[in-house]
Amino acid sequence: MTTRDTKINLMGLSLPKMQAFFHDLGEKPFRASQTLKWIHQRGVLDIDQMTDISKPLRERMKAVAEIRPPVITQELRSADGSCKWIVQVESGSSVEMVFIPEAGRGTLCVSSQAGCSLDCSFCATGKQGFNSNLTTAEIIGQLWWANVKLAGFGVQPDTQVDEDGRAPRHPRPVSNIVMMGMGEPLLNFDNVMDALSLMMEDQAYGLSKRRVTISTSGVVPAIDRLQDYTDASLAVSLHAPNDELRNQLVPLNKKYPIAQLLASVRGYMNTLGERRVPVIEYTLIAGVNDHRQHARELAALLKDFPCKINLIPFNPFAQSDYRRPSASSISNFRQILHEAGYTVTVRTTRADDIGAACGQLVGAVNDATRRSERYRAAGNLAVMIDGPGQ
Ligand code: SAH
Ligand code: SF4
Protein backbone atom coordinates (compact mmCIF):
# COMPACT_ATOMS: atom_id res chain seq x y z
CA MET A 1 0.00 0.00 0.00
CA THR A 2 1.15 3.54 -0.76
CA THR A 3 2.18 5.48 2.31
CA ARG A 4 1.40 9.16 2.79
CA ASP A 5 4.92 10.26 1.95
CA THR A 6 5.02 8.52 -1.38
CA LYS A 7 1.59 9.67 -2.51
CA ILE A 8 1.49 11.85 -5.60
CA ASN A 9 0.82 15.49 -4.71
CA LEU A 10 -1.91 16.64 -7.11
CA MET A 11 -1.26 20.28 -6.11
CA GLY A 12 1.88 20.28 -8.25
CA LEU A 13 0.61 18.63 -11.44
CA SER A 14 0.37 20.73 -14.60
CA LEU A 15 -2.49 19.92 -16.99
CA PRO A 16 -0.43 17.45 -19.08
CA LYS A 17 0.89 15.76 -15.93
CA MET A 18 -2.62 15.57 -14.46
CA GLN A 19 -3.82 14.01 -17.72
CA ALA A 20 -1.00 11.46 -17.50
CA PHE A 21 -2.07 10.71 -13.90
CA PHE A 22 -5.62 9.93 -15.01
CA HIS A 23 -4.37 8.04 -18.04
CA ASP A 24 -2.47 5.77 -15.66
CA LEU A 25 -5.73 5.20 -13.77
CA GLY A 26 -7.38 4.24 -17.08
CA GLU A 27 -9.48 7.43 -17.07
CA LYS A 28 -10.32 10.05 -19.70
CA PRO A 29 -8.28 13.32 -19.96
CA PHE A 30 -11.28 15.51 -18.96
CA ARG A 31 -10.85 14.27 -15.38
CA ALA A 32 -7.69 16.37 -15.29
CA SER A 33 -9.61 19.60 -16.01
CA GLN A 34 -12.20 18.72 -13.39
CA THR A 35 -9.52 18.11 -10.78
CA LEU A 36 -7.55 21.27 -11.61
CA LYS A 37 -10.72 23.33 -11.19
CA TRP A 38 -11.49 21.79 -7.80
CA ILE A 39 -7.99 22.43 -6.49
CA HIS A 40 -7.04 25.75 -8.03
CA GLN A 41 -10.37 27.50 -8.64
CA ARG A 42 -12.39 26.21 -5.69
CA GLY A 43 -9.56 25.75 -3.21
CA VAL A 44 -10.48 22.13 -2.41
CA LEU A 45 -7.92 19.91 -0.63
CA ASP A 46 -10.18 16.94 0.11
CA ILE A 47 -10.63 14.60 -2.85
CA ASP A 48 -14.00 13.55 -1.42
CA GLN A 49 -15.34 17.05 -2.03
CA MET A 50 -14.94 16.60 -5.80
CA THR A 51 -18.61 15.82 -6.26
CA ASP A 52 -18.59 15.53 -10.05
CA ILE A 53 -16.19 12.60 -9.74
CA SER A 54 -17.74 9.24 -8.83
CA LYS A 55 -17.07 7.79 -5.40
CA PRO A 56 -15.25 4.71 -6.71
CA LEU A 57 -12.88 6.90 -8.76
CA ARG A 58 -12.32 9.19 -5.78
CA GLU A 59 -11.37 6.12 -3.74
CA ARG A 60 -8.86 5.07 -6.41
CA MET A 61 -7.45 8.61 -6.51
CA LYS A 62 -7.11 8.70 -2.71
CA ALA A 63 -5.23 5.40 -2.69
CA VAL A 64 -2.35 6.91 -4.66
CA ALA A 65 -2.65 10.68 -4.38
CA GLU A 66 -3.36 13.61 -2.08
CA ILE A 67 -3.46 17.41 -2.29
CA ARG A 68 -0.77 18.92 -0.13
CA PRO A 69 -0.07 22.67 -0.10
CA PRO A 70 3.05 23.99 1.66
CA VAL A 71 2.63 25.04 5.31
CA ILE A 72 2.17 28.70 6.20
CA THR A 73 3.89 29.40 9.52
CA GLN A 74 3.45 33.14 9.82
CA GLU A 75 1.43 36.00 8.39
CA LEU A 76 2.50 39.65 8.58
CA ARG A 77 0.34 42.54 7.42
CA SER A 78 1.95 45.85 6.53
CA ALA A 79 0.54 49.28 7.31
CA ASP A 80 0.33 49.85 3.54
CA GLY A 81 -1.98 46.83 2.99
CA SER A 82 0.73 44.46 1.75
CA CYS A 83 0.95 40.98 3.29
CA LYS A 84 3.88 38.68 3.77
CA TRP A 85 3.61 35.00 4.54
CA ILE A 86 6.36 32.67 5.68
CA VAL A 87 6.01 29.35 3.91
CA GLN A 88 7.69 26.23 5.20
CA VAL A 89 8.86 23.88 2.47
CA GLU A 90 9.65 20.17 2.54
CA SER A 91 13.43 20.67 2.67
CA GLY A 92 12.93 22.20 6.13
CA SER A 93 13.71 25.76 5.05
CA SER A 94 11.26 28.61 4.88
CA VAL A 95 10.61 31.03 2.05
CA GLU A 96 8.55 34.17 1.82
CA MET A 97 5.81 35.38 -0.47
CA VAL A 98 4.45 38.90 -0.59
CA PHE A 99 1.12 40.31 -1.77
CA ILE A 100 1.05 43.93 -2.91
CA PRO A 101 -2.39 45.46 -3.53
CA GLU A 102 -2.58 48.41 -5.90
CA ALA A 103 -5.47 50.18 -7.62
CA GLY A 104 -7.13 47.64 -9.91
CA ARG A 105 -4.62 44.88 -9.37
CA GLY A 106 -3.06 42.61 -6.78
CA THR A 107 0.49 41.41 -7.34
CA LEU A 108 1.92 38.31 -5.69
CA CYS A 109 5.70 38.08 -5.44
CA VAL A 110 6.50 34.36 -5.52
CA SER A 111 9.64 32.50 -4.37
CA SER A 112 11.23 29.75 -6.46
CA GLN A 113 14.13 28.59 -4.25
CA ALA A 114 15.01 28.50 -0.56
CA GLY A 115 18.00 30.84 -0.60
CA CYS A 116 19.99 31.50 -3.76
CA SER A 117 23.40 30.38 -4.95
CA LEU A 118 24.18 33.45 -7.06
CA ASP A 119 25.31 35.76 -4.27
CA CYS A 120 24.52 39.16 -5.78
CA SER A 121 26.27 41.72 -3.60
CA PHE A 122 23.13 43.73 -2.76
CA CYS A 123 20.68 40.89 -2.03
CA ALA A 124 19.71 39.52 1.38
CA THR A 125 18.55 36.21 -0.12
CA GLY A 126 21.93 35.80 -1.82
CA LYS A 127 23.71 36.30 1.51
CA GLN A 128 21.96 33.21 2.89
CA GLY A 129 23.40 30.82 0.35
CA PHE A 130 21.34 28.12 -1.33
CA ASN A 131 19.30 25.43 0.34
CA SER A 132 16.81 23.87 -2.04
CA ASN A 133 14.69 24.15 -5.13
CA LEU A 134 10.99 24.49 -4.41
CA THR A 135 8.75 21.78 -5.84
CA THR A 136 6.04 22.75 -8.33
CA ALA A 137 3.49 22.27 -5.53
CA GLU A 138 5.43 24.66 -3.29
CA ILE A 139 5.59 27.31 -6.01
CA ILE A 140 1.97 27.12 -7.18
CA GLY A 141 0.97 26.53 -3.55
CA GLN A 142 1.96 30.14 -2.82
CA LEU A 143 -0.67 31.38 -5.29
CA TRP A 144 -3.17 28.82 -3.98
CA TRP A 145 -2.65 30.11 -0.42
CA ALA A 146 -2.79 33.78 -1.37
CA ASN A 147 -6.17 33.27 -3.01
CA VAL A 148 -7.42 31.39 0.06
CA LYS A 149 -6.03 33.88 2.58
CA LEU A 150 -7.24 36.91 0.65
CA ALA A 151 -10.66 35.56 -0.33
CA GLY A 152 -13.07 38.45 -0.45
CA PHE A 153 -10.36 40.92 -1.37
CA GLY A 154 -11.33 40.38 -5.07
CA VAL A 155 -10.07 42.79 -7.70
CA GLN A 156 -13.07 44.10 -9.63
CA PRO A 157 -13.45 42.37 -13.00
CA ASP A 158 -13.92 45.59 -14.98
CA THR A 159 -10.53 46.88 -13.83
CA GLN A 160 -8.89 43.62 -14.68
CA VAL A 161 -9.26 43.61 -18.46
CA ASP A 162 -5.95 42.93 -20.15
CA GLU A 163 -4.36 44.79 -23.02
CA ASP A 164 -5.49 41.92 -25.20
CA GLY A 165 -9.05 42.63 -24.03
CA ARG A 166 -9.46 39.45 -22.02
CA ALA A 167 -11.21 39.64 -18.67
CA PRO A 168 -10.69 36.75 -16.26
CA ARG A 169 -13.79 34.69 -15.69
CA HIS A 170 -13.11 34.35 -11.99
CA PRO A 171 -12.05 37.62 -10.39
CA ARG A 172 -9.53 36.80 -7.69
CA PRO A 173 -7.34 38.78 -5.33
CA VAL A 174 -4.17 37.94 -7.24
CA SER A 175 -4.21 39.37 -10.77
CA ASN A 176 -0.44 39.53 -11.38
CA ILE A 177 2.51 37.28 -10.54
CA VAL A 178 6.14 38.29 -10.37
CA MET A 179 8.73 35.56 -9.83
CA MET A 180 10.74 38.04 -7.76
CA GLY A 181 10.68 36.42 -4.34
CA MET A 182 13.55 34.34 -3.06
CA GLY A 183 15.75 32.50 -5.52
CA GLU A 184 16.67 32.47 -9.18
CA PRO A 185 13.66 31.02 -11.05
CA LEU A 186 15.67 29.88 -14.07
CA LEU A 187 17.92 27.72 -11.86
CA ASN A 188 14.80 25.74 -10.88
CA PHE A 189 13.68 25.51 -14.45
CA ASP A 190 11.36 22.50 -14.70
CA ASN A 191 9.40 23.18 -11.53
CA VAL A 192 9.04 26.88 -12.32
CA MET A 193 7.85 26.09 -15.87
CA ASP A 194 5.17 23.71 -14.57
CA ALA A 195 4.05 26.29 -12.00
CA LEU A 196 3.90 29.02 -14.68
CA SER A 197 1.79 26.76 -16.87
CA LEU A 198 -0.72 26.35 -14.02
CA MET A 199 -0.79 30.11 -13.41
CA MET A 200 -1.71 30.66 -17.07
CA GLU A 201 -3.89 27.57 -17.55
CA ASP A 202 -7.58 28.41 -18.00
CA GLN A 203 -8.62 25.35 -15.97
CA ALA A 204 -6.47 26.61 -13.07
CA TYR A 205 -5.73 30.34 -12.54
CA GLY A 206 -6.12 31.59 -16.12
CA LEU A 207 -3.75 34.56 -15.75
CA SER A 208 -2.68 36.30 -18.95
CA LYS A 209 0.91 35.87 -20.10
CA ARG A 210 1.31 39.62 -19.77
CA ARG A 211 0.55 39.39 -16.07
CA VAL A 212 3.02 36.64 -15.20
CA THR A 213 6.65 37.80 -15.07
CA ILE A 214 9.83 35.80 -14.63
CA SER A 215 12.68 37.83 -13.15
CA THR A 216 16.17 36.56 -13.86
CA SER A 217 19.68 37.67 -13.06
CA GLY A 218 20.70 36.31 -16.47
CA VAL A 219 20.98 32.53 -16.75
CA VAL A 220 21.61 32.67 -20.51
CA PRO A 221 21.27 28.95 -21.43
CA ALA A 222 17.89 28.88 -19.65
CA ILE A 223 16.68 32.06 -21.39
CA ASP A 224 17.76 30.48 -24.70
CA ARG A 225 15.35 27.57 -24.21
CA LEU A 226 12.54 29.49 -22.49
CA GLN A 227 10.54 29.88 -25.70
CA ASP A 228 9.97 26.12 -25.84
CA TYR A 229 8.23 26.17 -22.46
CA THR A 230 6.43 29.46 -21.85
CA ASP A 231 5.39 32.83 -23.22
CA ALA A 232 5.46 34.60 -19.86
CA SER A 233 6.84 38.13 -19.57
CA LEU A 234 10.49 38.64 -18.71
CA ALA A 235 12.32 40.99 -16.36
CA VAL A 236 16.10 41.09 -16.42
CA SER A 237 18.13 42.16 -13.41
CA LEU A 238 20.85 44.23 -15.05
CA HIS A 239 21.93 46.70 -12.33
CA ALA A 240 25.00 47.97 -14.19
CA PRO A 241 25.75 49.46 -17.63
CA ASN A 242 29.09 47.68 -18.14
CA ASP A 243 30.64 44.29 -17.44
CA GLU A 244 33.26 45.57 -15.03
CA LEU A 245 30.66 46.92 -12.61
CA ARG A 246 28.15 44.13 -13.22
CA ASN A 247 30.81 41.52 -12.42
CA GLN A 248 31.03 43.05 -8.94
CA LEU A 249 27.28 43.25 -8.33
CA VAL A 250 26.05 40.10 -10.10
CA PRO A 251 28.85 37.48 -10.07
CA LEU A 252 26.94 35.44 -12.67
CA ASN A 253 27.94 38.13 -15.15
CA LYS A 254 31.45 36.66 -15.28
CA LYS A 255 29.91 33.58 -16.86
CA TYR A 256 27.30 35.29 -19.02
CA PRO A 257 28.35 38.89 -19.76
CA ILE A 258 25.97 41.68 -20.73
CA ALA A 259 26.24 41.35 -24.54
CA GLN A 260 25.40 37.63 -24.37
CA LEU A 261 22.57 38.27 -21.93
CA LEU A 262 20.93 40.99 -24.02
CA ALA A 263 21.23 38.88 -27.19
CA SER A 264 19.56 35.96 -25.45
CA VAL A 265 16.74 38.14 -24.08
CA ARG A 266 16.21 39.66 -27.53
CA GLY A 267 15.91 36.15 -28.95
CA TYR A 268 13.19 35.24 -26.46
CA MET A 269 11.27 38.47 -26.97
CA ASN A 270 11.37 38.00 -30.75
CA THR A 271 9.63 34.65 -30.40
CA LEU A 272 6.83 36.32 -28.40
CA GLY A 273 6.18 39.08 -30.94
CA GLU A 274 3.10 41.24 -30.26
CA ARG A 275 5.32 44.21 -29.40
CA ARG A 276 6.13 42.73 -26.01
CA VAL A 277 9.27 44.10 -24.40
CA PRO A 278 11.29 43.00 -21.37
CA VAL A 279 11.67 45.05 -18.23
CA ILE A 280 15.25 45.94 -17.34
CA GLU A 281 15.57 46.06 -13.57
CA TYR A 282 18.22 48.32 -12.10
CA THR A 283 18.70 48.45 -8.34
CA LEU A 284 20.11 51.90 -7.52
CA ILE A 285 22.86 51.82 -4.89
CA ALA A 286 24.33 55.08 -3.57
CA GLY A 287 27.84 55.74 -4.86
CA VAL A 288 27.99 52.38 -6.67
CA ASN A 289 25.84 52.48 -9.80
CA ASP A 290 23.74 55.64 -9.43
CA HIS A 291 25.98 58.28 -11.01
CA ARG A 292 24.69 60.35 -13.93
CA GLN A 293 27.43 58.80 -16.05
CA HIS A 294 25.99 55.34 -15.31
CA ALA A 295 22.59 56.53 -16.51
CA ARG A 296 24.08 57.88 -19.75
CA GLU A 297 26.03 54.66 -20.26
CA LEU A 298 22.87 52.62 -19.66
CA ALA A 299 20.93 54.74 -22.16
CA ALA A 300 23.68 54.11 -24.75
CA LEU A 301 23.86 50.39 -23.99
CA LEU A 302 20.13 49.90 -24.50
CA LYS A 303 19.84 52.22 -27.51
CA ASP A 304 18.74 49.52 -29.96
CA PHE A 305 17.17 47.25 -27.38
CA PRO A 306 13.41 47.74 -26.99
CA CYS A 307 12.60 47.60 -23.26
CA LYS A 308 11.12 49.35 -20.26
CA ILE A 309 13.36 50.26 -17.36
CA ASN A 310 12.40 49.76 -13.73
CA LEU A 311 14.59 51.49 -11.16
CA ILE A 312 14.56 49.88 -7.71
CA PRO A 313 15.99 52.04 -4.93
CA PHE A 314 18.20 49.74 -2.84
CA ASN A 315 16.47 48.30 0.21
CA PRO A 316 18.89 48.08 3.14
CA PHE A 317 19.36 44.96 5.26
CA ALA A 318 21.56 43.99 8.18
CA GLN A 319 24.57 42.42 6.44
CA SER A 320 24.99 45.14 3.84
CA ASP A 321 26.87 48.43 3.96
CA TYR A 322 25.20 49.67 0.79
CA ARG A 323 22.89 52.66 1.03
CA ARG A 324 19.85 53.84 -0.88
CA PRO A 325 20.54 56.92 -3.05
CA SER A 326 18.89 60.23 -2.18
CA ALA A 327 15.57 61.11 -3.79
CA SER A 328 17.32 63.68 -5.99
CA SER A 329 19.91 61.18 -7.33
CA ILE A 330 17.11 58.75 -8.13
CA SER A 331 15.19 61.46 -9.90
CA ASN A 332 18.27 62.64 -11.87
CA PHE A 333 19.00 59.08 -12.96
CA ARG A 334 15.43 58.64 -14.09
CA GLN A 335 15.39 61.96 -15.90
CA ILE A 336 18.46 61.10 -18.01
CA LEU A 337 16.86 57.83 -19.14
CA HIS A 338 13.54 59.54 -19.72
CA GLU A 339 15.16 62.20 -21.90
CA ALA A 340 16.90 59.45 -23.85
CA GLY A 341 13.40 58.18 -24.75
CA TYR A 342 12.93 55.27 -22.34
CA THR A 343 9.81 54.37 -20.41
CA VAL A 344 11.12 54.44 -16.85
CA THR A 345 9.35 53.54 -13.63
CA VAL A 346 10.72 53.84 -10.12
CA ARG A 347 9.53 51.06 -7.86
CA THR A 348 7.95 52.53 -4.78
CA THR A 349 9.14 50.75 -1.69
CA ARG A 350 6.28 48.76 -0.26
CA ALA A 351 6.03 46.73 2.90
CA ASP A 352 9.51 47.46 4.20
CA ASP A 353 7.99 47.67 7.71
CA ILE A 354 7.53 43.88 7.53
CA GLY A 355 10.82 43.14 5.75
CA ALA A 356 9.04 42.35 2.52
CA ALA A 357 10.54 44.89 0.15
CA CYS A 358 12.65 43.72 -2.80
CA GLY A 359 15.83 42.01 -1.68
CA GLN A 360 14.80 41.89 1.96
CA LEU A 361 13.35 38.40 1.74
CA VAL A 362 15.32 36.03 3.90
CA GLY A 363 13.01 33.26 5.13
CA ALA A 364 14.89 30.79 7.29
CA VAL A 365 17.23 28.79 5.17
CA ASN A 366 19.45 25.87 6.01
CA ASP A 367 22.42 27.07 4.04
CA ALA A 368 23.72 24.16 2.02
CA THR A 369 26.56 26.31 0.67
CA ARG A 370 27.65 27.36 4.20
CA ARG A 371 27.78 30.97 3.07
CA SER A 372 26.20 32.04 6.36
CA GLU A 373 29.10 30.53 8.29
CA ARG A 374 31.55 32.42 6.16
CA TYR A 375 29.63 35.55 7.03
CA ARG A 376 29.77 34.78 10.70
CA ALA A 377 33.48 34.04 10.43
CA ALA A 378 33.93 37.38 8.71
CA GLY A 379 32.36 39.06 11.72
CA ASN A 380 29.16 40.03 9.96
CA LEU A 381 25.81 39.72 11.59
CA ALA A 382 23.90 36.94 9.88
CA VAL A 383 20.19 36.86 10.56
CA MET A 384 17.61 34.11 10.23
CA ILE A 385 19.80 31.42 8.85
CA ASP A 386 19.37 28.58 11.25
CA GLY A 387 16.30 26.85 9.95
CA PRO A 388 12.55 27.07 10.47
CA GLY A 389 10.83 27.93 13.69
CA GLN A 390 13.63 30.16 14.96
N1 SAH B 1 16.76 36.03 -8.75
C1 SAH B 1 15.90 36.84 -9.53
C2 SAH B 1 14.58 37.16 -8.86
C3 SAH B 1 14.61 37.51 -7.40
S1 SAH B 1 15.31 39.05 -6.96
C4 SAH B 1 16.61 38.10 -9.96
O1 SAH B 1 17.70 38.39 -9.46
O2 SAH B 1 16.09 38.77 -10.83
C5 SAH B 1 14.06 40.20 -7.46
C6 SAH B 1 14.58 41.62 -7.73
O3 SAH B 1 14.95 42.27 -6.51
C7 SAH B 1 15.81 41.62 -8.60
O4 SAH B 1 15.73 42.59 -9.60
C8 SAH B 1 16.89 41.93 -7.60
O5 SAH B 1 18.00 42.44 -8.23
C9 SAH B 1 16.21 42.91 -6.69
N2 SAH B 1 16.89 43.09 -5.41
C10 SAH B 1 17.60 42.17 -4.73
N3 SAH B 1 18.08 42.69 -3.58
C11 SAH B 1 17.66 43.98 -3.53
C12 SAH B 1 17.80 45.04 -2.57
N4 SAH B 1 18.46 44.85 -1.43
N5 SAH B 1 17.22 46.20 -2.84
C13 SAH B 1 16.50 46.39 -3.98
N6 SAH B 1 16.33 45.43 -4.91
C14 SAH B 1 16.90 44.23 -4.69
FE1 SF4 C 1 19.73 35.39 -6.27
FE2 SF4 C 1 18.26 37.28 -7.51
FE3 SF4 C 1 19.25 37.69 -5.03
FE4 SF4 C 1 20.91 37.62 -7.13
S1 SF4 C 1 19.26 39.15 -6.74
S2 SF4 C 1 21.24 36.60 -5.14
S3 SF4 C 1 19.93 36.06 -8.39
S4 SF4 C 1 17.73 36.17 -5.60
Side-chain angles (χ1 to χ4, degrees):
M1 199 180 120
T2 317
T3 65
R4 184 185 186 280
D5 284 339
T6 56
K7 279 190 176 176
I8 296 166
N9 187 1
L10 299 181
M11 171 74 65
L13 297 191
S14 60
L15 178 60
K17 287 185 177 159
M18 192 71 88
Q19 285 168 343
F21 169 79
F22 281 104
H23 182 265
D24 290 348
L25 289 181
E27 291 290 324
K28 295 250 163 58
F30 77 92
R31 296 291 180 201
S33 309
Q34 284 179 313
T35 306
L36 285 188
K37 283 183 187 159
W38 280 112
I39 298 172
H40 298 289
Q41 297 186 355
R42 301 185 188 125
V44 161
L45 295 179
D46 178 359
I47 291 173
D48 272 331
Q49 284 181 26
M50 300 182 177
T51 47
D52 55 5
I53 295 179
S54 70
K55 194 157 192 310
L57 177 53
R58 293 197 312 251
E59 292 302 326
R60 284 164 59 220
M61 289 167 68
K62 285 191 308 186
V64 292
E66 62 187 344
I67 308 163
R68 201 169 65 244
V71 176
I72 303 270
T73 55
Q74 214 185 334
E75 173 173 297
L76 296 148
R77 297 216 174 215
S78 164
D80 70 11
S82 308
C83 301
K84 174 167 99 169
W85 294 274
I86 312 286
V87 182
Q88 193 177 323
V89 294
E90 281 171 5
S91 68
S93 291
S94 295
V95 297
E96 305 183 2
M97 61 167 179
V98 180
F99 176 72
I100 304 151
E102 288 166 303
R105 67 170 158 182
T107 302
L108 188 69
C109 181
V110 170
S111 291
S112 57
Q113 298 182 308
C116 182
S117 61
L118 296 180
D119 200 18
C120 297
S121 66
F122 50 84
C123 175
T125 304
K127 295 294 166 222
Q128 298 181 298
F130 172 75
N131 177 253
S132 65
N133 279 330
L134 268 54
T135 62
T136 304
E138 289 165 346
I139 300 167
I140 200 68
Q142 296 172 58
L143 177 54
W144 186 90
W145 267 121
N147 279 314
V148 168
K149 293 276 184 189
L150 298 163
F153 183 89
V155 175
Q156 291 306 306
D158 58 335
T159 58
Q160 228 183 343
V161 178
D162 284 305
E163 283 168 50
D164 47 17
R166 198 172 83 162
R169 280 169 297 132
H170 309 276
R172 292 201 192 82
V174 179
S175 62
N176 292 59
I177 298 280
V178 289
M179 296 301 302
M180 292 184 190
M182 294 170 68
E184 168 51 53
L186 297 187
L187 289 182
N188 183 12
F189 196 86
D190 295 344
N191 295 345
V192 167
M193 291 306 127
D194 276 357
L196 291 177
S197 80
L198 282 167
M199 291 168 191
M200 296 189 275
E201 169 56 56
D202 277 345
Q203 315 298 327
Y205 297 91
L207 297 174
S208 139
K209 59 199 177 203
R210 293 175 189 274
R211 290 172 175 268
V212 176
T213 301
I214 306 165
S215 176
T216 180
S217 56
V219 186
V220 166
I223 301 170
D224 285 344
R225 62 193 184 109
L226 208 48
Q227 59 179 289
D228 297 332
Y229 298 85
T230 189
D231 54 4
S233 301
L234 191 61
V236 180
S237 293
L238 193 67
H239 310 307
N242 61 62
D243 284 322
E244 195 190 349
L245 183 54
R246 193 164 191 265
N247 285 344
Q248 293 167 31
L249 302 180
V250 182
L252 185 67
N253 194 67
K254 293 175 200 152
K255 209 164 174 185
Y256 308 118
I258 292 174
Q260 252 187 56
L261 172 58
L262 294 184
S264 172
V265 171
R266 191 194 288 272
Y268 176 65
M269 299 316 300
N270 284 345
T271 65
L272 299 184
E274 301 173 331
R275 297 198 313 274
R276 289 171 70 193
V277 296
V279 172
I280 297 292
E281 295 170 280
Y282 194 105
T283 296
L284 281 168
I285 309 167
V288 174
N289 64 356
D290 66 334
H291 198 274
R292 288 164 191 269
Q293 184 50 33
H294 293 124
R296 288 191 281 265
E297 212 181 327
L298 184 63
L301 175 73
L302 299 174
K303 193 162 61 66
D304 299 316
F305 187 83
C307 63
K308 294 177 185 167
I309 300 175
N310 187 216
L311 302 175
I312 315 170
F314 173 69
N315 290 308
F317 57 96
Q319 307 100 306
S320 178
D321 295 331
Y322 286 151
R323 286 173 301 109
R324 183 181 298 181
S326 65
S328 66
S329 322
I330 295 170
S331 144
N332 290 340
F333 201 96
R334 177 198 187 139
Q335 191 58 25
I336 291 168
L337 294 170
H338 180 70
E339 281 166 13
Y342 292 95
T343 304
V344 193
T345 49
V346 178
R347 196 172 300 171
T348 45
T349 299
R350 300 285 302 261
D352 57 352
D353 55 340
I354 54 171
C358 273
Q360 289 184 324
L361 303 185
V362 285
V365 167
N366 298 313
D367 176 12
T369 60
R370 315 313 303 165
R371 184 167 301 131
S372 54
E373 278 177 12
R374 296 203 296 277
Y375 261 79
R376 278 202 195 101
N380 288 295
L381 179 68
V383 290
M384 298 191 72
I385 46 173
D386 292 326
Q390 306 265 323

